[in-house]
């Protein structure tokens, strides 16, 4: 990571990429994001951030459609055993 990159983050000119989140979280020693994490959707988002995963990567890991992950994150559709 360059010094300029960090400066841009600090000044709000740019944001870290999702794949960089696990390293940032590890460096800080805590989860710095302020979205809710109590609902299933919030837990999905937190897991994605902690592991630097896009919806597509998480969907592939789980063997589901990318849209399902997006729906879960928005809490629009809950996980069901039958119809992943």
């Amino acid at each position: 990571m360059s010094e300029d990159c960090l400066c841009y983050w600090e000044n709000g000119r740019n944001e870290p990429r999702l794949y960089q989140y696990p390293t940032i979280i590890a460096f800080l020693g805590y989860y710095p994001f302020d979205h809710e994490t109590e609902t299933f959707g919030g837990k999905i988002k937190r897991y994605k951030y902690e592991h630097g995963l896009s919806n597509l990567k998480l969907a592939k890991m789980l063997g589901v459609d990318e849209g399902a992950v997006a729906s879960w994150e928005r809490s629009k559709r809950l996980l069901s055993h039958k119809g992943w």
Side-chain angles (χ1 to χ4, degrees), residues 57-75:
K57 286 184 180 180
L58 182 58
K60 285 183 179 182
M61 286 175 51
L62 297 174
V64 299
D65 182 80
E66 181 180 2
V69 173
S71 291
W72 297 339
E73 190 173 334
R74 291 189 312 268
S75 298

Side-chain angles (χ1 to χ4, degrees), residues 36 39-42 44-45 48 53-60 62 64-79 84:
E36 65 82 22
T39 64
F40 184 70
I44 290 284
K45 189 170 193 171
K48 285 175 33 186
L53 300 171
S54 65
N55 284 353
L56 181 60
K57 286 184 180 180
L58 182 58
K60 285 183 179 182
L62 297 174
V64 299
D65 182 80
E66 181 180 2
V69 173
S71 291
W72 297 339
E73 190 173 334
R74 291 189 312 268
S75 298
K76 297 282 185 194
R77 189 176 100 193
L78 295 178
L79 180 66
W84 286 90

Side-chain angles (χ1 to χ4, degrees):
M1 185 177 98
S2 71
E3 203 174 304
D4 287 338
C5 182
L6 182 59
C7 184
Y8 288 160
W9 291 352
E10 290 176 336
N11 294 315
R13 292 177 61 191
N14 202 352
E15 293 185 11
R17 297 202 177 247
L18 189 57
Y19 73 86
Q20 296 169 315
Y21 287 0
T23 305
I24 293 167
I25 293 167
F27 174 77
L28 294 174
Y30 70 95
Y31 187 78
F33 305 101
D34 64 356
H35 62 86
E36 65 82 22
T37 58
E38 299 302 315
T39 64
F40 184 70
K43 291 178 191 309
I44 290 284
K45 189 170 193 171
R46 182 172 180 148
Y47 185 86
K48 285 175 33 186
Y49 281 22
E50 288 177 336
H51 295 88
L53 300 171
S54 65
N55 284 353
L56 181 60
K57 286 184 180 180
L58 182 58
K60 285 183 179 182
M61 286 175 51
L62 297 174
V64 299
D65 182 80
E66 181 180 2
V69 173
S71 291
W72 297 339
E73 190 173 334
R74 291 189 312 268
S75 298
K76 297 282 185 194
R77 189 176 100 193
L78 295 178
L79 180 66
S80 72
H81 178 68
K82 288 185 176 182
W84 286 90

